Amino acid sequence: MSKRGYAASKKLLTGLIGAPIAHSASPAMHERAAEALGLRGHYQLIEVAGADAAGLSLMLEGVRRLGFAGVNVTYPYKEAVVPLLDELAPGAAAMGAVNTVVVRDDRLIGHNTDTTGFARAVAPLLAPAGNAVAVIGAGGVGKAIAFALASLKVSDIRIFDSEPARAATLVSLLAPQGGARIAASVEDALSGATGLINGTPVGMLPNRGMPVAATLLREELWVADAVYSPLITPLLAAAQAKGARIMTGRELAIYQAADAFELFTGLAPSTEVMGEAFDEVMAARSSADHAA
């Protein structure tokens, strides 16, 4: 739908497909951004665990037919939806992962705003003199992170995944940009690294694990986590204890949502408004956790 169409209708239906997603701050961010632009927005959580290709196809067909401007896609379906779409934006096609599906002229078009959002978020941490960054996880989020780093001209990207074949696939996808290699272990990925990024769900509530042992962290290593529930994951808490600079999943969550909103509507939302909505969700969750 065009900008003019949204201005006329004042209605915007979007949503999120994934599981588990009850904790998501996306409804608050998208609905608040729509309100600030004079739209009546509804962001629907579509939580279905264990969906196969047929199940995902049914959900996507519903998105196509029921008036959605589009949906976001999260764990564990960012790669599974790719062959089910009508078209892929170049960036999404290059990495084989989608987190945003836009409905245009009855066609489902896949994009990846995790990449653009993470590039905006991580840029301040990168050093002009060069960077060696360890990326843990080569799934949908790890792919987006690695492609974001490549877009920022990081020339030494070390990728570790508990499934070596996934790391190998990601390195081959990054080959045209150069600078990425498979790490044989977490220790190998971190050897001489300037930065560490967790691109796995490890540490997301209710999980309280760490993708990297605390003994491998050090003060001069900046550490980022794509997980935002909790905001300070066990990994980030351990990094803080070492005196390291950290980046929570807050900025990634906000920037990827803002880029997705613009794809859905053609309108640029306020990242400040989205950030305020995100912070309110996290504060309410923290209060509920303490009350429990």
Side-chain angles (χ1 to χ4, degrees), residues 1-242:
M1 189 180 289
S2 68
K3 291 184 185 181
R4 182 173 298 174
Y6 278 112
S9 70
K10 298 285 187 180
K11 295 179 182 179
L12 175 64
L13 176 60
T14 53
L16 175 65
I17 295 173
I21 55 175
H23 66 277
S24 177
S26 292
M29 289 193 289
H30 281 264
E31 290 176 6
R32 190 76 63 81
E35 181 183 10
L37 288 167
L39 304 175
R40 188 151 51 99
H42 176 70
Y43 190 96
Q44 178 68 41
L45 293 181
I46 306 168
E47 180 167 343
V48 180
D52 58 11
L56 279 174
S57 291
L58 283 173
M59 284 185 268
L60 291 169
E61 192 59 28
V63 168
R64 188 200 309 269
R65 292 174 178 268
L66 295 175
F68 281 79
V71 290
N72 291 122
V73 180
T74 191
Y75 180 85
Y77 302 127
K78 292 184 181 186
E79 295 165 295
V81 299
V82 169
L84 307 176
L85 303 176
D86 299 309
E87 183 181 338
L88 296 174
M95 74 182 75
V98 161
N99 82 318
T100 301
V101 177
V102 178
V103 182
R104 285 288 182 273
D105 300 322
D106 208 35
R107 291 171 58 78
L108 301 177
I109 305 168
H111 299 261
N112 199 301
T113 67
D114 282 335
T115 295
T116 56
F118 192 80
R120 292 168 69 180
V122 80
L125 290 174
L126 300 179
N131 302 272
V133 182
V135 178
I136 309 300
V141 174
K143 282 182 174 181
I145 287 168
F147 270 81
L149 293 172
S151 76
L152 294 168
K153 310 303 180 187
V154 174
S155 59
D156 187 358
I157 306 169
R158 297 96 171 272
I159 298 167
F160 173 78
D161 194 281
S162 57
E163 298 179 28
R166 290 209 305 182
T169 297
L170 179 49
V171 169
S172 68
L173 292 173
L174 288 165
Q177 286 94 327
R181 70 171 177 86
I182 302 168
S185 63
V186 172
E187 291 82 356
D188 177 34
L190 285 171
S191 179
T194 55
L196 163 67
I197 305 167
N198 175 35
T200 78
V202 176
M204 179 186 295
L205 289 174
N207 180 288
R208 296 298 292 169
M210 285 177 54
V212 173
T215 52
L216 296 175
L217 304 176
R218 55 188 189 274
E219 183 177 2
E220 63 274 18
L221 180 78
W222 58 260
V223 180
D225 205 322
V227 171
Y228 70 75
S229 181
L231 206 54
I232 300 297
T233 61
L235 173 65
L236 294 182
Q240 278 185 318
K242 298 277 187 174

